[in-house]
Amino acid sequence: MGFRLSEHKSIVLELSDGQIVQSKRFNQSSHCFLATKSELGIEIQADYCIGLDWLGKTARSLYVEPKINAASAKRFNQIIEEVPFQKTENLSDEIDSSTEFELDYLKMLLQVTNVPESNAVINGLLQIDWDAQPIEIKQKEDKLTPFLIVRFLQTLKMIVQKGLKKNYYKEQNNLSNRVKGKILIGQHIKQNVFKNRLTTTYCEYQVFGEDHNENRFLKKALLFASLFMENHSDLFGENLKEMQHTINYCRPAFELISSEVNDYDLKHTKYNPFYKDYNIALQIGQQILKKFAYNITQTSLKTVASPPFWIDMPRLFELYIYSKMIEANPNYKKEIHYQFSTYGNTLDILVSKSDSQMVIDAKYKLHYQNGHLHEDIRQVAGYARLNKVREKLKANENKNIDCLIIYPNMENGITELTLENIIQFRKEIKAYYKVFKLGIKLPLINPL
């Protein structure tokens, strides 16, 4: 039996004797889900990750959908206005989940991977528990495979743009009137001696070119991705055309590459540290093929077995903002710093442009639409007082650096994150000096 959760929702489980469910942490800032004891049993609440997992050893699973959507945000505002002092964590029973709008996390991922600067720092987004027992779900509920395919195809596109890597690989052929490499005695006897072919020799030799195991593996993974998209195009929504274009762009580069690669090579591909894009594509390709048990017929199944997995939405939100800022400010890319770190502190984005200096913190929270959280403000203000940050901005002793919190706002948020728009549309948090907030719109899946 499985349970579904989304933003601001929780369920209460009645456990049998001996059954235990504990909160599961994704990283230092996020949980996969939270489990707390209540009078009725164990309350399970979604945090800021989407995914699928087992609830301890209860034989029950939890499926968390993309959570922020237009209807829940609107209802959130209404409730805050009606009960302004009520804590947001107690609103789960009052948010209507019947909306047809949900967050388009694939479009966010496409945005991040389309910008080289953000794509270069995309890590820590996904956790997959390959050791756990797979969970049976309907194919239309599969959030993992589309995520992997988008990530794979975007990385493959970068590889094709730069040109496929060449390497030495072995070939075996029956050569006429010549010997090359080494003679394979056993094959030579079978193919030539027994058949009285005295002028041919069966040899194995090395060739330098593109038809090596790594490119064969990538072609195999590309074939899996292409077939999955054909069979389940609805999972990609409005992103389908862009993904099909990417496949059509990549396919010609592999036209002369063989797709014959044995199971050992599929499962034991080695990585070269000098080719980062290749390493990423090979790792994701491994995950795609492993997801389908290396059986291409499973790409057409309606019910699938998925390993437990979690996608870190706060980090995806951070990267989305960074990519939008880089895209909207092409002349100031070098003055927009992501994950600027000092003395164990890492701030999301630092803008060092002389007339737009600010420390930016991305908060994947609806609360900022009608309020603010003092803890978050203390955090971003603390970043602005770090000596290394002030040195980077060349701030004098009397200057206070602007602090900005960016959050999701589906109705009134901006979409273009130029530095001019950020300064124009940000709103000052009146209780603090030079601390601002800015809502941005996130892509939503259109209703059917």
Side-chain angles (χ1 to χ4, degrees), residues 332-346:
Y332 310 116
K333 291 181 180 181
K334 294 182 179 180
E335 295 173 285
I336 300 173
H337 314 277
Y338 179 69
Q339 295 284 292
F340 185 83
S341 60
T342 172
Y343 303 115
N345 297 288
T346 303

Side-chain angles (χ1 to χ4, degrees), residues 102-259:
E102 67 176 57
L103 189 65
D104 192 344
Y105 72 106
L106 289 181
K107 184 164 287 186
M108 292 177 67
L109 181 63
L110 274 172
Q111 168 65 33
V112 171
T113 52
N114 276 329
V115 177
E117 288 80 3
S118 56
N119 188 58
V121 292
I122 184 172
N123 51 54
L125 276 179
L126 178 66
Q127 289 182 5
I128 305 176
D129 188 356
W130 294 108
D131 297 326
Q133 181 182 351
I135 302 172
E136 290 283 337
I137 59 172
K138 295 179 181 178
Q139 186 72 76
K140 64 181 181 180
E141 297 176 341
D142 187 4
K143 295 287 189 281
L144 175 59
T145 307
F147 186 93
L148 291 174
I149 286 176
V150 168
R151 186 94 162 77
F152 173 76
L153 291 178
Q154 291 293 91
T155 307
L156 194 64
K157 182 179 179 181
M158 295 177 62
I159 291 174
V160 172
Q161 287 173 341
K162 297 175 182 178
L164 296 185
K165 181 176 70 172
K166 293 184 178 182
N167 204 349
Y168 285 99
Y169 61 95
K170 293 180 180 179
E171 273 197 0
Q172 296 180 1
N173 271 316
N174 217 4
L175 303 179
S176 178
N177 294 315
R178 64 191 179 113
V179 174
K180 188 176 182 181
K182 66 178 181 180
I183 300 173
L184 299 180
I185 303 299
Q187 291 293 329
H188 176 66
I189 292 173
K190 292 179 182 178
Q191 297 286 340
N192 301 315
V193 175
F194 288 163
K195 297 179 181 180
N196 201 29
R197 296 173 178 170
L198 303 180
T199 60
T200 56
T201 309
Y202 202 90
C203 301
E204 181 181 80
Y205 51 92
Q206 285 191 327
V207 177
F208 186 75
E210 296 178 345
D211 193 18
H212 52 84
N213 280 339
E214 290 182 1
N215 287 338
R216 290 184 180 189
F217 177 88
L218 293 180
K219 183 174 182 178
K220 192 81 170 181
L222 176 62
L223 180 60
F224 270 71
S226 178
L227 284 176
F228 181 86
M229 288 180 57
E230 289 178 11
N231 293 322
H232 307 287
S233 57
D234 55 313
L235 293 178
F236 295 87
E238 296 179 354
N239 308 301
L240 181 64
K241 287 186 178 180
E242 183 173 350
M243 301 316 301
Q244 288 175 333
H245 175 76
T246 302
I247 287 178
N248 292 335
Y249 177 83
C250 295
R251 186 176 283 134
F254 291 89
E255 197 69 33
L256 301 178
I257 306 297
S258 172
S259 60

Side-chain angles (χ1 to χ4, degrees), residues 309-324:
F309 72 95
W310 292 100
I311 299 171
D312 187 2
M313 293 304 295
R315 177 150 177 78
L316 181 59
F317 180 61
E318 288 176 12
L319 289 165
Y320 180 77
I321 291 172
Y322 176 56
S323 67
K324 295 286 283 185

